[in-house]
Amino acid sequence: MAETDREANRFTARASRYASVGANVGGVAARMAAARLFGGKDGASLNNAAALAQALGGLKGPIMKVAQLLATVPDLLPPEYAAELQKLQADAPPMGAAFVKRRMMAELGADWQSRFGSFDLKPAAAASLGQVHRAQSRDGAPLACKLQYPDMQSAVEADLKQLQVAFALHRRMNSWLDTSEIAKEIGARVREELDYGREAKHAALYGDVLKDIDSVRVPAVHSDLSTKRLLTLGWLDGEKILNFTQSPIEIRNRLAQAMFRAWWHPFSRAAVIHGDPHLGNYTVFSEGGEAQGINLLDYGCVRIFHPRFVGGVVDLYRGLLEEDRARVVHAYEVWGFKKLDNETIDILNIWARFIYGPLLEDRTRTVADGIDPGAYGRREAFSVHQALKEKGPVTVPQEFVFMDRAAVGLGAVFLHLRSELNYHQLFEAEIERFSLDTLSERQGAALAAVGLPDPA
């Protein structure tokens, strides 16, 4: 490969991206601003939300990823906007066969096809930053090759500038929430997703941390067929998780428990979370004609925390469980919340008791009886929103953003499955004999083994 990176953050590519995004979104943004972007009459707001989703739906790349991220942060957008943006899928026209050949040649060289037993030039799936092709290794192993769309680094930078403008408008119209740290976190994670070399390390990390969890499968990494913009993993056969929402309760509970462990086990053992709750990132594997567990497919949106953040999660859980207010306050301070007073703490506790609710009750239960998955968390978020409007602005710490988002997304999966589990006992098993020193040692060893740096 040439030493010069032809797809670095180029001005000409950024300028082109500004033009394409602006042409698609500019008119909608103007109408939304006139109607107060995050409010307004129901009819106008619904029309604007649908228009925005339509404008974004034809764009590949990070602007759609950002839209999906914003839609999963409860009450950052009004419900009608969130509902429309959550419908966005990566259904923009795929790269054609000739284009794919050129992209593969750029990544693996002129003889790239000889390195595979077979390679399907028609994509099997599309994502916001790339598309997935089925292939076989030379020894016949099934492969999933994720090939990044061209000029994504320039597109990311251009789209994140657009995000900054949107957040600035949000701050002017809604002074109760300081979105500056949210913008930083989204920017950091989307930039990481560009680096498929890092994603390969994420997959290897999860493969190690989950190696003893039979109900969760992680694909093998094929480093010899991977680059910064091409990621080749083992292909895992499975069905969509929503295909099992009408299955017997035993099956639904089994899948929910697998999802719980896929999320909480890496968090408690290595301070890492899979931060994208999109249902397309999971499939269900079966054995003997019956669903047995979860395939975890995508590792672009992974968040690695400092162990002290996990300590804050455990402290808040224990503080709420034991009604120990001092421990609750300590947890918020560890996470980075500033200028806490009793009123602000009470407001934050509304959201905390919602997130931790299923974990605090030692009984078999659903996550939230009668709540639609798309509305999960909206009522509690509205209560927090209203209280903070009267109290004044609060800055959401950067590390908190994806933790919160992933927790809501995980809860929505449980709602889809209508699972009935003792979430309290499952969580207690994950944090049994929790120790910051032990977590630090485990995390350091796990990150070093796959070549990832320690978190700041």
Side-chain angles (χ1 to χ4, degrees), residues 137-154:
S137 67
R138 294 177 64 177
D139 61 4
L143 304 175
C145 300
K146 184 162 72 168
L147 182 61
Q148 193 172 116
Y149 298 129
D151 281 323
M152 281 296 100
Q153 185 176 354
S154 301

Side-chain angles (χ1 to χ4, degrees), residues 355-375:
I355 291 291
Y356 281 88
L359 308 180
L360 297 174
E361 296 187 18
D362 188 6
R363 65 180 178 90
T364 298
R365 52 166 285 178
T366 60
V367 167
D369 291 327
I371 300 296
D372 181 84

Side-chain angles (χ1 to χ4, degrees), residues 105 108-116:
M105 186 182 301
L108 294 180
D111 65 341
W112 69 271
Q113 285 179 303
S114 68
R115 300 175 66 174
F116 295 91

Side-chain angles (χ1 to χ4, degrees), residues 105-277:
M105 186 182 301
E107 297 306 313
L108 294 180
D111 65 341
W112 69 271
Q113 285 179 303
S114 68
R115 300 175 66 174
F116 295 91
S118 65
F119 187 97
D120 190 346
L121 293 171
K122 183 179 179 181
S128 53
L129 303 182
Q131 61 189 38
V132 179
H133 293 260
R134 293 199 70 157
Q136 281 190 339
S137 67
R138 294 177 64 177
D139 61 4
L143 304 175
C145 300
K146 184 162 72 168
L147 182 61
Q148 193 172 116
Y149 298 129
D151 281 323
M152 281 296 100
Q153 185 176 354
S154 301
V156 160
E157 297 307 322
D159 290 357
L160 289 176
K161 288 288 186 183
Q162 301 280 357
L163 176 64
Q164 292 285 357
V165 172
F167 273 144
L169 182 59
H170 181 277
R171 287 193 292 271
R172 287 198 296 272
M173 292 181 174
N174 295 271
S175 60
W176 67 275
L177 180 65
D178 182 350
T179 55
S180 56
E181 294 299 303
I182 295 175
K184 288 180 186 177
E185 179 70 358
I186 289 177
R189 300 287 79 76
V190 173
R191 288 185 180 101
E192 282 184 357
E193 286 200 57
L194 287 170
D195 185 355
Y196 287 1
R198 183 182 177 92
E199 184 174 347
K201 294 175 182 178
H202 288 164
L205 173 65
Y206 265 76
D208 178 57
V209 174
L210 290 169
K211 63 180 180 294
D212 296 324
I213 308 299
D214 293 335
S215 60
V216 183
R217 291 182 176 175
V218 176
V221 178
H222 292 256
S223 300
D224 59 322
L225 298 173
S226 298
T227 68
K228 184 177 181 180
R229 297 188 181 95
L230 171 67
L231 175 61
T232 301
L233 302 174
W235 183 279
L236 296 178
D237 285 319
E239 299 179 61
K240 294 179 180 179
I241 196 169
L242 292 183
N243 291 352
F244 295 87
T245 57
Q246 302 305 315
S247 296
I249 185 64
E250 294 82 7
I251 299 296
R252 288 184 279 121
N253 283 347
R254 183 184 301 158
L255 296 181
Q257 187 165 341
M259 285 293 299
F260 189 97
R261 301 205 74 185
W263 199 77
W264 280 110
H265 194 76
F267 186 72
S268 63
R269 296 303 187 276
V272 58
I273 60 167
H274 191 287
D276 194 344

Side-chain angles (χ1 to χ4, degrees), residues 309-363:
F309 185 86
V310 182
V313 170
V314 174
D315 279 335
L316 183 54
Y317 166 75
R318 295 290 184 203
L320 293 172
L321 187 67
E322 300 163 10
E323 298 186 0
D324 183 343
R325 190 173 180 87
R327 196 166 185 177
V328 168
V329 173
H330 174 69
Y332 291 141
E333 291 174 341
V334 165
W335 284 352
F337 282 97
K338 307 292 186 184
K339 299 178 182 178
L340 291 172
D341 57 27
N342 283 329
E343 188 176 358
T344 302
I345 292 164
D346 289 340
I347 294 169
L348 293 176
N349 280 347
I350 296 172
W351 188 245
R353 290 189 181 281
F354 159 69
I355 291 291
Y356 281 88
L359 308 180
L360 297 174
E361 296 187 18
D362 188 6
R363 65 180 178 90

Side-chain angles (χ1 to χ4, degrees), residues 242 244-246 252 279 373-374 411-419:
L242 292 183
F244 295 87
T245 57
Q246 302 305 315
R252 288 184 279 121
L279 291 172
V413 174
F414 297 150
L415 287 174
H416 280 297
L417 291 172
R418 293 174 291 117
S419 51

